[in-house]
Amino acid sequence: MAEYDVIIIGSGPGGYVCAIRCAQLGLKTACVEGRETLGGTCLNVGCIPSKALLHASHQLHEAEHNFAKMGLKGKSPSVDWKQMLAYKTEVIEGNTKGIEFLFKKNKIDWLKGWGSIPEAGKVKVGDETHTAKNIIIASGSEASSLPGVEVDEKVVVTSTGALELGKVPKKMVVIGAGVIGLELGSVYSRLGAEVTVIEYLDAITPGMDGEVQKAFQRILKKQGLKFIMGAAVQKTEALKTKAKVSYKLRKDDSEHEIDADVVLVATGRRPYTEGLGLDALGIETSKGGQIKVGKDWQTSVNGIYAIGDCIDGPMLAHKAEDEGMAAAEQVAGKHGHVNYGVIPGVIYTHPEVANVGETEETLKEAGRAYKVGKFMFMGNGRAKANFAADGFVKILADKETDRILGAHIIGPSAGDLIHEICVAMEFGAAAEDLALTCHAHPTYSEAVREAALACGDGPIHS
Ligand SMILES: Cc1cc2nc3c(=O)[nH]c(=O)nc-3n(C[C@H](O)[C@H](O)[C@H](O)COP(=O)(O)OP(=O)(O)OC[C@H]3O[C@@H](n4cnc5c(N)ncnc54)[C@H](O)[C@@H]3O)c2cc1C
């Protein structure tokens, strides 16, 4: 048994970042993790492995579709799936070991095992009970399914199973056209699978700017993904090596079936708080299972905080990280802060899709007067040279003050380009501030500047 200033439960991006910041602020810190490795969902079965497979499959796409155009001739590479999975595992190991190194460097104790909170100020791991002045819950989330859809992680899989398939399926059905479904659907489509996405709503990627939703779906269709929209999945039947998916079209209630070698259930995630003992402690949760916290990330019990996927808000690694740093600062007597209005979202397909702030839909709903500055990548020299001219940058600015309210990018490196706009928004910048900033040529960033110019007197290259 040891005494700590802070014990953090969970070592995902929320937990490990929080632990490092606590240690940097001089607090005696431990982090409890039940997995074999540190890093949580993100590093083990989420962000990092999915990006490794997206990267590898994108290289194949480039070789098959663009190499010959640039005078690079020869046999296209074939897929060695085992090796691709080995590459993915190596990437995971490199990252999780990196966190282990950072824990050692910052003198953070890793308490190995599943933790529970028998009472405020105490954390039990295995047979040992440790005391802590503060406890921070960062227990993350797990995949959720639908009634009638039974996951076996072989034929009917969540994202975790989809990152470990025995072979590339010939036919894959993805239930849910959200970020995870479209990213992993793209991976298998590029590797040769016939991918059909079934979505309950009439538009993909719910909550995203409507114009981007339409453009994105058009591009994905061009890449070979099929979509069945407005369809409610009724059930899946797992046969030995295949599955049957039954769905009903919402427009006419007609019933249909589709076969697949693999069905990926990508219908969202829910908070994971099993075994922590929240009820006995009297920690309040919402209907969806999220732990309720105040502005300082403290739960309804003094000295117990919660951050990341297990509380309200977008389930994103960087949101969890920011909360981790802010909660650490609160615990250390400082003033942690997260600007929830400026949290970017990125989809790592090709092209990438990125957004921050308001959409046209949310602005209309709020009755706010705004203007739109849009620039197509077709007018960007670098994008044309790199076969990456699909898509656009769209900036939404206040009609009166020109202050940037939101931005939506579909195009090359959108996930990097969005940050220029995030910084501008943090500083309360106007579109004109971006438009007056010199941007190097030839870069994709010039498209951001052109969109900012489009909020004023107009872009140059369109
Ligand atoms: C396929 C996929 C791709 C994704 N891609 C992205 C992306 O590109 N970008 C992005 O921003 N987000 C992405 N996400 C979401 C991202 O992974 C999560 O938002 C992020 O991991 C949340 O961090 P967290 O620290 O809150 O929880 P988690 O990362 O879920 O970590 C929680 C950890 O707590 C541990 N734990 C739980 N309970 C206990 C206990 N009682 N005792 C001990 N340990 C416990 C768990 O084992 C786990 O390791 C992706 C998710 C998936 C599934």
Side-chain angles (χ1 to χ4, degrees):
M1 170 158 157
E3 277 178 37
Y4 291 97
D5 291 319
V6 194
I7 296 182
I8 296 138
I9 303 181
S11 72
Y16 86 72
V17 167
C18 183
I20 293 171
R21 181 54 105 224
C22 284
Q24 286 172 338
L25 294 173
L27 303 173
K28 185 169 164 49
T29 307
C31 183
V32 190
E33 176 54 62
R35 267 178 215 274
E36 297 288 302
T37 48
L38 298 172
T41 303
C42 178
L43 273 63
N44 290 282
V45 290
C47 327
I48 296 298
S50 60
K51 265 79 257 179
L53 293 184
L54 278 157
H55 176 67
S57 59
H58 178 60
Q59 301 306 310
L60 177 69
H61 176 93
E62 287 294 287
E64 284 173 347
H65 297 272
N66 293 329
F67 275 17
K69 291 184 205 161
M70 295 183 284
L72 298 169
K73 297 222 165 145
K75 245 174 77 189
S76 268
S78 58
V79 177
D80 178 344
W81 180 235
K82 267 202 178 135
Q83 178 55 33
M84 204 178 278
L85 290 181
Y87 148 71
K88 182 208 69 176
T89 304
E90 205 175 306
V91 172
I92 295 172
E93 276 173 14
N95 280 277
T96 57
K97 290 253 160 66
I99 307 300
E100 242 182 283
F101 165 79
L102 290 174
F103 271 21
K104 280 189 190 130
K105 185 178 158 202
N106 287 284
K107 301 192 173 42
I108 297 162
D109 289 344
W110 172 6
L111 306 176
K112 295 187 183 179
W114 297 99
S116 60
I117 312 172
E119 61 186 273
K122 295 216 161 102
V123 174
K124 189 164 185 278
V125 186
D127 296 332
E128 300 212 324
T129 301
H130 308 270
T131 60
K133 291 191 191 103
N134 299 281
I135 297 168
I136 300 178
I137 303 172
S139 53
S141 61
E142 61 181 351
S144 58
S145 186
L146 294 173
V149 176
E150 213 156 289
V151 170
D152 60 13
E153 294 296 10
K154 287 193 175 76
V155 181
V156 181
V157 299
T158 65
S159 56
T160 302
L163 292 165
E164 276 295 341
L165 294 180
K167 59 179 183 197
V168 176
K170 285 206 172 77
K171 277 171 90 177
M172 179 181 233
V173 164
V174 178
I175 307 177
V179 178
I180 293 175
L182 295 179
E183 284 187 358
L184 291 173
S186 288
V187 165
Y188 286 102
S189 168
R190 290 172 194 163
L191 297 177
E194 184 190 316
V195 176
T196 305
V197 182
I198 305 181
E199 168 57 49
Y200 181 80
L201 299 172
D202 296 321
I204 65 170
T205 55
M208 203 175 266
D209 187 88
E211 194 179 1
V212 174
Q213 287 177 328
K214 285 193 194 110
F216 187 32
Q217 192 176 2
R218 202 171 50 241
I219 291 170
L220 291 174
K221 276 186 185 167
K222 227 166 64 182
Q223 292 176 0
L225 270 78
K226 292 184 181 144
F227 288 90
I228 301 171
M229 305 300 292
V233 167
Q234 306 294 300
K235 61 173 180 174
T236 56
E237 268 174 82
L239 313 169
K240 217 172 188 184
T241 54
K242 274 195 181 301
K244 201 159 55 178
V245 181
S246 313
Y247 61 92
K248 213 184 231 187
L249 287 182
R250 287 198 295 127
K251 62 177 181 200
D252 56 11
D253 268 352
S254 57
E255 292 184 5
H256 305 262
E257 279 180 3
I258 181 169
D259 280 343
D261 302 304
V262 170
V263 178
L264 164 59
V265 187
T267 46
R269 296 179 65 78
R270 61 173 170 237
Y272 179 79
T273 53
E274 289 276 313
L276 288 170
L278 299 187
D279 287 345
L281 285 160
I283 291 183
E284 287 173 24
T285 54
S286 67
K287 258 193 183 164
Q290 284 89 358
I291 299 173
K292 286 190 185 172
V293 293
K295 282 208 173 89
D296 57 356
W297 297 276
Q298 198 156 195
T299 66
S300 47
V301 174
N302 256 351
I304 304 183
Y305 297 73
I307 55 167
D309 277 11
C310 66
I311 68 167
D312 200 17
M315 286 187 170
L316 293 170
H318 42 284
K319 177 257 190 191
E321 289 182 28
D322 279 22
E323 288 174 344
M325 285 200 278
E329 280 163 21
Q330 288 295 141
V331 163
K334 293 172 167 263
H335 300 284
H337 172 74
V338 176
N339 181 356
Y340 286 100
V342 186
I343 294 184
V346 179
I347 308 179
Y348 298 84
T349 44
H350 199 83
E352 290 183 352
V353 182
N355 66 282
V356 63
E358 305 288 347
T359 63
E360 282 207 64
E361 289 73 21
T362 56
L363 289 172
K364 274 182 196 146
E365 209 179 294
R368 288 186 74 172
Y370 66 94
K371 53 188 173 175
V372 180
K374 193 171 153 193
F375 185 76
M376 307 297 289
F377 276 102
M378 195 48 89
N380 178 276
R382 185 74 181 277
K384 270 157 95 169
N386 295 1
F387 308 110
D390 260 345
F392 53 83
V393 180
K394 172 172 165 178
I395 294 177
L396 305 173
D398 188 280
K399 196 157 189 177
E400 286 289 306
T401 64
D402 196 35
R403 187 178 175 145
I404 302 169
L405 304 173
H408 305 275
I409 307 178
I410 175 162
S413 300
D416 293 305
L417 297 182
I418 198 74
H419 294 97
E420 171 179 358
I421 302 170
C422 294
V423 173
M425 286 174 73
E426 279 287 348
F427 281 80
E432 191 184 30
D433 293 318
L434 276 186
L436 290 176
T437 304
C438 185
H439 284 62
H441 175 76
T443 58
Y444 298 139
S445 302
E446 287 174 290
V448 174
R449 184 196 199 177
E450 293 268 20
L453 280 164
C455 288
D457 293 331
I460 302 299
H461 295 90
S462 76

